[in-house]
Amino acid sequence: MIGEPLFSIGPVPWNPPVADDFDGLLIGSANAIRHAGEGLALYGGIDVYAVGAVTACEAEKAGFNVKAVGEGGLQALIDGMAETPLKLLRLAGAEHMTLDPPANIRIEKRIVYRATSRELPQSIADQLADGGIMMLHSAAASVHFSQECSRLNVSKANIQIAALGPRIASAAGAGWAGVSCAHTPRETAVLALVQDLCHEHS
């Protein structure tokens, strides 16, 4: 297994609104906690609603109380809270999903980080020439990896895609040897999927 970052993550300047105006923070990525900077400290007394376990862990390390942890994305998380009137501050990346909150949940958004794409090294392209399995964790990563394969003349027909979820798989486009999704959007599920794919082609 080889790890290669497709993006560099960095902070974006932002103006933190008054903490007392909100019932909690809505966090869709651990990067929001890592890169929100000094402004994050203003919200230490309110709960965090986290998209998943990794994000929840990062919030807890930063001293927050995690009120709820999702399993199927932010939309599923807020849909599951539809019975509770809430005003949430969403800390997000420059590229993020649009949410359709229930009527009794109000969301205000601030962009606190940005992902900048990185070129795939030729050394990785050379290793992919004979095929392999690529784990993809975001729709942006799927699109960028596909573009990099085209730029480096890497045959998609030799590569299997193991995606964290259906939207990510769809963003990869066509032409791959196969595209599969984890049964649940968790890292352990993606690793289990890769293991199954390896067994199928061993």
Side-chain angles (χ1 to χ4, degrees):
M1 181 176 288
I2 301 168
E4 181 63 36
L6 293 175
F7 298 91
S8 296
I9 309 297
V12 171
W14 63 293
N15 295 317
V18 178
D20 290 344
D21 291 345
F22 300 95
D23 300 303
L25 297 179
L26 183 64
I27 309 293
S29 169
N31 285 318
I33 299 293
R34 295 172 185 143
H35 297 284
E38 296 179 357
L40 191 66
L42 300 175
Y43 305 97
I46 65 177
D47 294 327
V48 163
Y49 297 81
V51 68
V54 173
T55 302
C57 181
E58 197 71 22
E60 289 173 343
K61 286 195 297 183
F64 287 95
N65 175 61
V66 176
K67 183 75 170 180
V69 182
E71 293 187 356
L74 280 186
Q75 186 64 54
L77 176 61
I78 61 174
D79 287 344
M81 305 188 299
E83 301 300 320
T84 307
L86 292 169
K87 184 176 181 182
L88 303 175
L89 175 61
R90 181 184 183 186
L91 303 184
E95 292 187 9
H96 55 272
M97 286 188 62
T98 300
L99 299 177
D100 182 19
N104 60 342
I105 294 181
R106 292 184 296 152
I107 299 175
E108 189 170 326
K109 179 176 63 184
R110 291 291 189 277
I111 303 303
V112 300
Y113 72 92
R114 183 185 307 278
T116 303
S117 61
R118 298 170 51 158
E119 290 188 350
L120 198 68
Q122 184 63 52
S123 59
I124 299 296
D126 292 342
Q127 293 182 68
L128 290 172
D130 294 327
I133 301 170
M134 182 68 179
M135 297 169 60
L136 294 172
H137 294 75
S138 74
S142 292
V143 172
H144 181 53
F145 179 65
S146 177
Q147 292 171 342
E148 284 298 279
C149 285
S150 297
R151 181 180 69 84
L152 294 166
N153 294 316
V154 175
S155 175
K156 297 179 183 180
N158 294 330
I159 300 173
Q160 293 268 350
I161 297 297
L164 186 67
R167 188 174 70 92
I168 298 168
S170 177
W176 308 99
V179 178
S180 304
C181 295
H183 65 87
T184 183
R186 293 183 176 180
E187 183 71 15
T188 52
V190 181
L191 289 170
L193 171 61
V194 170
Q195 184 178 42
D196 290 343
L197 291 172
C198 287
H199 287 163
E200 288 175 9
H201 294 85
S202 61

